[in-house]
Amino acid sequence: KNEVEQSPQNLTAQEGEFITINCSYSVGISALHWLQQHPGGGIVSLFMLSSGKKKHGRLIATINIQEKHSSLHITASHPRDSAVYICAPHNYGQNFVFGPGTRLSVLP
Amino acid sequence: GAVVSQHPSRVICKSGTSVKIECRSLDFQATTMFWYRQFPKKSLMLMATSNEGSKATYEQGVEKDKFLINHASLTLSTLTVTSAHPEDSSFYICSFGGGVSNQPQHFGDGTRLSIL
């Protein structure tokens, strides 16, 4: 079973700060998703990546398959970025395993 | 992108009631859908995988007779919580995509179930 850890568990930042959320897992994977869960519970898939780096707006996700580690970065953070961020690694043909999530609060 | 509609968004009912949650893919034919449960401040936990036209596959510890899943068409999957009890109060969310096809997952907005 893939053990997934995220750090930090909770993060409070001031608007405009650069934020990094880390995800590590124990079993080699073929892809990893970063998910954003809003306070109401709705979930949005931010990225799916299997190598290197992806960028979407102010969000950047990186993954190092050999080191079993991925990071999600938010540049110029904004209060609307406040949410729980979840990483979900998986292998082809297998179900997703979800990390415990990182609760981010961005203060104005 | 693909859109998933989940209904209802919130249910409050008495113990012993059966509750049906619907999950529809609006612009994607989903042969496989996933049902998750999330307790407060906990991670998403996969309950079962719903396969169109066949029996769902349940994760260990999930009672198939209590959580009835029907995936009768490529656009609709339902989860019925039978004879619900307060310990079934949770956030239930569906998704499709990912898994074997390694496609991005698309999530419903979730259903918050409260059993009194």
Side-chain angles (χ1 to χ4, degrees):
Chain A
K1 182 184 174 184
N2 210 343
E3 302 293 332
V4 185
E5 296 181 348
Q6 284 185 236
S7 63
Q9 278 187 307
N10 296 284
L11 179 58
T12 300
Q14 289 296 133
E15 184 174 356
E17 285 186 9
F18 180 83
I19 288 163
T20 296
I21 299 171
N22 296 300
C23 174
S24 61
Y25 48 91
S26 60
V27 177
I29 59 170
S30 52
L32 182 142
H33 290 238
W34 278 100
L35 309 171
Q36 179 191 51
Q37 185 170 27
H38 294 288
I43 292 177
V44 174
S45 182
L46 299 174
F47 293 104
M48 183 187 72
L49 66 165
S50 55
S51 66
K53 178 169 83 172
K54 285 190 176 181
K55 184 176 187 292
H56 182 73
R58 294 180 295 106
L59 302 178
I60 303 168
T62 64
I63 189 167
N64 186 318
I65 292 291
Q66 287 73 30
E67 294 187 4
K68 299 184 179 62
H69 182 269
S70 177
S71 293
L72 176 69
H73 307 283
I74 305 175
T75 61
S77 60
H78 190 276
R80 63 175 174 267
D81 297 326
S82 298
V84 176
Y85 292 85
I86 303 167
C87 68
H90 80 106
N91 278 302
Y92 296 120
Q94 298 178 14
N95 291 320
F96 288 78
V97 177
F98 295 93
T102 294
R103 189 174 300 275
L104 172 66
S105 297
V106 182
L107 305 177
Chain B
V3 177
V4 179
S5 173
Q6 187 172 341
H7 178 81
S9 59
R10 181 74 192 262
V11 179
I12 302 172
C13 57
K14 293 182 178 180
S15 183
T17 306
S18 291
V19 179
K20 180 186 282 189
I21 302 169
E22 290 188 351
C23 187
R24 293 180 185 272
S25 58
L26 300 182
D27 60 356
F28 185 89
Q29 291 189 325
T31 55
T32 302
M33 300 186 79
F34 304 90
W35 286 97
Y36 304 92
R37 179 169 54 182
Q38 186 181 35
F39 293 105
K41 296 188 177 181
K42 298 294 185 183
S43 182
L44 284 168
M45 296 295 293
L46 179 66
M47 298 176 67
T49 304
S50 163
N51 300 299
E52 187 265 336
S54 63
K55 291 183 179 180
T57 302
Y58 290 82
E59 295 299 298
Q60 191 174 10
V62 178
E63 300 174 59
K64 62 181 180 181
D65 294 330
K66 181 163 187 65
F67 299 99
L68 301 179
I69 292 174
N70 183 285
H71 192 171
S73 77
L74 293 174
T75 60
L76 174 65
S77 177
T78 61
L79 168 67
T80 301
V81 184
T82 61
S83 188
H85 288 90
E87 59 265 28
D88 298 322
S89 297
S90 186
F91 185 71
Y92 294 86
I93 193 164
C94 65
S95 78
F96 70 90
V100 175
S101 66
N102 203 35
Q103 295 300 307
Q105 283 216 12
H106 302 278
F107 291 85
D109 287 338
T111 297
R112 194 165 301 280
L113 175 63
S114 300
I115 307 298
L116 305 177

